[in-house]
Amino acid sequence: MTSLDKPTADHDGPQGPYGPQGGAGGGARGDGAAHHAAGHGAPAPDGTAPAGTVRADAAAADPVAADARAVTEAALFDAFGGVRGMVETVLPGLLFVTIYTINKDLHVSALAALAVSLLLVVVRLVRRDTMKHAFSGVFGVAFGVVFAMMTGDAKDFYLPGMLYTLGLGIAYIVTTLAGVPLIGLVLGPIFKENLSWRTRNPGRKKAYAKASYAWGLILLGKCAILFPLYWWADTTQLGWVLVALKIPPFLLAVYLTWMFLAKAPPPIDVFAEMEAAERAEEERKAQAEARRTQPEPERGA
């Protein structure tokens, strides 16, 4: 179990220019020659391998870390909808605030936002794509439309989404404090690890806890900006700020999640374990059946 606590890799950012700049005269020429030699694989004066060779060897010797990184990127892309998911999240609200800014007509703005949400669902149906992101967008817009129509206040179009963001931010924090980070519950099935990270992969549980805290704090910070605007700003100001805050906080949270998980131990594929156990059980039964049906040798032969 102790090996699971160790990160599989340390994915730091790209290094800056290495080595000091050459001085004047002969010193500059000597440093430049040494740097040129190191770049072509020549050993350093102390007999060690050149820095470029060390980095290349490390990258070639760590394919597991590269694979884990690619799997993490793909899983996050799938979980959060990718570029299309972001477009489907932003477009209805953007259309609402654009139309309302122009003509101040609540009904036209709300119905236009709802219509474009339904259109996005139809497009996914025609293309036979996954529907979870489109449906969540439709429900969010529909709640906003109903709420705004009931109160007659255009700002209330945004209130259900703001309350959802507030509740989600609190849920990220509370579940992490309870020892069951919400982001782990969301991503566990996508990584085919389910809840194995809770008891069998403590390093990964720690990464999920960090990611959940990041999501919670980012969403609560977003709410700290939006709710004062809901009370004191007009509809267009609130709408444009809300549209502007759709993508950047989301991308920050996804990036932090990727960074924490890329440095964490790899997930335990519980589905592969179950399949291996089933195959082993089938082989055991086959062997037992073969022994049972094998004819006994004749006595006295």
Side-chain angles (χ1 to χ4, degrees):
M1 173 137 332
T2 55
S3 64
L4 294 177
D5 293 323
K6 298 179 182 178
T8 56
D10 186 10
H11 299 292
D12 292 330
Q15 299 293 325
Y18 48 90
Q21 297 294 330
R29 184 176 179 179
D31 291 345
H35 182 75
H36 178 75
H40 284 77
D46 60 356
T48 59
T53 304
V54 172
R55 283 195 297 271
D57 291 344
D62 200 9
V64 175
D67 290 343
R69 198 170 175 180
V71 169
T72 300
E73 292 174 358
L76 290 176
F77 191 85
D78 177 70
F80 299 114
V83 176
R84 180 185 290 185
M86 289 188 289
V87 171
E88 292 172 346
T89 300
V90 173
L91 190 56
L94 177 61
L95 186 61
F96 177 90
V97 71
T98 300
I99 295 176
Y100 191 83
T101 300
I102 295 172
N103 62 15
K104 305 299 182 186
D105 191 321
L106 169 60
H107 293 80
V108 173
S109 304
L111 293 177
L114 184 59
V116 75
S117 297
L118 293 172
L119 178 62
L120 293 173
V121 171
V122 171
V123 170
R124 282 189 175 266
L125 285 172
V126 171
R127 295 171 60 91
R128 298 183 179 180
D129 292 332
T130 178
M131 301 300 300
K132 57 183 179 181
H133 302 292
F135 275 133
S136 63
V138 167
F139 288 136
V141 172
F143 276 118
V145 169
V146 171
F147 208 69
M149 294 291 190
M150 290 175 59
T151 63
D153 189 346
K155 283 195 293 187
D156 288 336
F157 173 79
Y158 302 108
L159 186 58
M162 292 166 57
L163 293 174
Y164 173 78
T165 300
L166 177 61
L168 190 60
I170 294 173
Y172 276 117
I173 301 296
V174 171
T175 55
T176 306
L177 292 174
V180 192
L182 180 58
I183 196 72
L185 300 178
V186 173
L187 296 180
I190 296 175
F191 283 112
K192 299 182 180 179
E193 60 183 336
N194 285 350
L195 297 180
S196 62
W197 51 267
R198 290 194 61 201
T199 55
R200 300 172 56 191
N201 206 338
R204 197 160 180 86
K205 180 179 180 180
K206 185 182 295 185
Y208 280 139
K210 292 178 181 178
S212 285
Y213 278 131
W215 277 92
L217 293 175
I218 288 171
L219 293 179
L220 292 179
K222 181 177 175 180
C223 290
I225 297 173
L226 293 178
F227 275 96
L229 290 176
Y230 174 79
W231 293 110
W232 295 308
D234 60 32
T235 301
T236 55
Q237 291 172 334
L238 172 63
W240 286 113
V241 171
L242 199 148
V243 168
L245 289 178
K246 280 283 187 181
I247 300 302
F250 172 80
L251 291 179
L252 176 60
V254 171
Y255 171 74
L256 291 175
T257 302
W258 171 81
M259 185 178 68
F260 294 138
L261 293 181
K263 295 182 179 182
I268 299 172
D269 192 337
V270 295
F271 296 99
E273 289 182 341
M274 289 188 293
E275 291 174 358
E278 290 176 359
R279 286 195 299 268
E281 179 65 18
E282 290 175 358
E283 291 175 0
R284 186 190 64 80
K285 290 180 179 179
Q287 292 173 359
E289 181 67 18
R291 287 194 299 268
R292 187 179 65 83
T293 57
Q294 184 177 4
E296 296 183 359
E298 295 180 5
R299 296 182 181 179

